[in-house]
Amino acid sequence: MEQALKGMKVVDLSQVLAGPYCTMVLGDMGADVVKVEKFPLGDDTRTMGPYINDESYMYMMVNRNKRGVCLNLKTDEGLQVLYKLIKEADVFIENYRPGVTRKLGIDYDRLKAMNPSIIYCSISGYGQTGPYKSRGGFDIMAQGLSGLINMTGEREGKPVKVGIAIHDIAAAQTAIQSILAAYIHRLKTGIGQYIDVSLVDSGLAWTVWEAAAYFGKGEVPRRNGTAHRVSAPYQGYKTKDGFILIGAANQKLWEKFCLSVVNKPEWVADERFLTNSIRAQHVDELEIEMEKVLMEHNSTYWLDLLDKSGIPSGPIYSYDQTLSDEHILSREMILKYEHPVAGEMKTLGFPAKFSETPSQLKSPAPLLGQHNKEVLVELGYSIDEIDSLLTNSVLKN
């Protein structure tokens, strides 16, 4: 099957997570992605373990379906190679702070002059405008500025970082959807454009319920553990042998839970639990009452009963349990492939299942400079010219 983005050419000058995740997804959907790594050590994630035969698993996780060149952009020759790539590209992605691209000679105005239809996407911590634009920004700083850390954790506990690099992934997803929208616009008009994506903005845009509470009644989101801000019961609860999640988040489900699962009809008439909003006001009392009952049996007993009763529920897994769950495996969320140095590898699968243009794992993450010759030959360089660039430390492999 032909893939949706076949024919799209992407030049990726980003590194670490947000940009590489974005271009990985574009590559999964068929784009030809050339990853340009800095000379001489490459993407910073190459220095992050764990390692398999000296290849970084971190790097390999977000750089599949790309061709790789290692280019010295501090040389005129290296910059000319990049310019040739960009002249033929549809999309260019970088993750520098404002001002750096101009110093490097790769700012939007310069590249637009070379390729007026280029879609230029910049991913940075704080964006290209505003008082914080020149600050260095990683995911944890974005979580702090967006308020996410302060609203995560147990109510009386310390603020807690979200368990994954959520702002990085949010920025990657924002970049993906923005690039695709710009690409559709370009197909219609022939006009490219500049896209400014920040980690802070991307994660903040996901705080929709929290913004509703603040804008609607001035409520500042607090740490709630696993509890929901406006619905109950909708959180994790202790059982005899662990914890489970229960989401009886509307009146019909609540009454079914009381009558069919825990056999507590008196809870339906309890003034503390009459409606969803009232239950949310008495969430601590509700948790105490529910756990008195739930701790009589183990998690499997309750999950089976909840499932049969049609009450949304689920386990709270450790990550190894997640990756061995039959549903996860049946959805092909773990893929195997061969890497030329690391050998047989596992990676995460594709979350979207297309009927006509499925994502594909066509190639493993490139070795450092693996495709130098292949890419430069396509640009019109001779083998002798490429060897000279290697000798003069313009290319690295």
Side-chain angles (χ1 to χ4, degrees), residues 291-306:
E291 288 189 343
K292 286 179 184 177
V293 178
L294 294 171
M295 289 177 66
E296 294 176 1
H297 298 285
N298 61 30
S299 297
T300 301
Y301 171 87
W302 289 117
L303 290 174
D304 288 343
L305 186 53
L306 287 158

Side-chain angles (χ1 to χ4, degrees), residues 207-221 229:
T207 61
V208 289
W209 298 145
E210 294 70 26
Y214 184 73
F215 294 146
K217 59 178 182 178
E219 180 182 305
V220 177
R229 305 195 187 286

Side-chain angles (χ1 to χ4, degrees), residues 108-357:
Y108 176 59
D109 289 340
R110 184 186 295 262
L111 300 192
K112 182 182 178 183
M114 298 176 189
N115 181 351
S117 63
I118 193 72
I119 296 167
Y120 186 124
C121 182
S122 176
I123 304 175
S124 60
Y126 299 95
Q128 302 298 307
T129 61
Y132 303 158
K133 65 182 182 181
S134 297
R135 292 182 181 179
F138 294 118
D139 179 86
I140 192 170
M141 289 79 186
Q143 288 193 35
L145 186 60
S146 70
L148 205 58
I149 287 180
N150 199 51
M151 66 178 80
T152 304
E154 293 299 325
R155 191 172 302 161
E156 304 303 326
K158 295 169 61 176
V160 175
K161 182 178 77 70
V162 176
I164 65 169
I166 192 167
H167 277 266
D168 272 318
I169 301 302
Q173 294 291 358
T174 301
I176 292 163
Q177 67 194 36
S178 302
I179 288 167
L180 294 180
Y183 189 62
I184 292 170
H185 176 261
R186 201 192 78 165
L187 291 174
K188 293 177 180 178
T189 66
I191 300 172
Q193 61 184 297
Y194 181 77
I195 303 169
D196 174 8
V197 174
S198 89
L199 271 64
V200 172
D201 297 348
S202 299
L204 181 61
W206 287 5
T207 61
V208 289
W209 298 145
E210 294 70 26
Y214 184 73
F215 294 146
K217 59 178 182 178
E219 180 182 305
V220 177
R222 63 176 184 174
R223 293 184 288 282
N224 276 333
T226 61
H228 197 276
R229 305 195 187 286
V230 297
S231 294
Y234 191 95
Q235 66 183 84
Y237 295 96
K238 187 170 180 57
T239 67
K240 188 175 182 179
D241 64 346
F243 292 87
I244 60 172
L245 296 167
I246 299 174
N250 62 47
Q251 196 62 22
K252 182 179 179 180
L253 289 172
W254 165 246
E255 293 179 6
K256 186 184 289 188
F257 173 76
C258 295
L259 300 175
S260 302
V261 178
V262 293
N263 192 27
K264 288 288 184 178
E266 64 271 25
W267 287 358
V268 176
D270 193 313
E271 291 185 355
R272 299 170 299 171
F273 310 144
L274 285 178
T275 67
N276 190 38
S277 60
I278 294 174
R279 288 192 294 277
Q281 295 170 22
H282 297 275
V283 65
D284 292 336
E285 296 164 74
L286 179 60
E287 180 179 2
I288 291 169
E289 294 296 331
M290 286 179 58
E291 288 189 343
K292 286 179 184 177
V293 178
L294 294 171
M295 289 177 66
E296 294 176 1
H297 298 285
N298 61 30
S299 297
T300 301
Y301 171 87
W302 289 117
L303 290 174
D304 288 343
L305 186 53
L306 287 158
D307 187 47
K308 290 175 183 176
S309 300
I311 308 294
S313 61
I316 298 179
Y317 276 165
S318 59
Y319 195 56
D320 57 330
Q321 291 175 305
T322 298
L323 297 184
S324 60
D325 183 89
E326 60 180 355
H327 182 78
I328 301 299
L329 297 175
S330 73
R331 294 283 294 171
E332 297 184 330
M333 282 306 298
I334 300 176
L335 303 177
K336 293 181 180 180
Y337 68 96
E338 280 292 324
H339 186 276
V341 174
E344 184 175 278
M345 307 288 294
K346 291 182 179 180
T347 191
L348 296 176
F350 312 115
K353 321 299 183 185
F354 291 85
S355 64
E356 299 299 324
T357 57

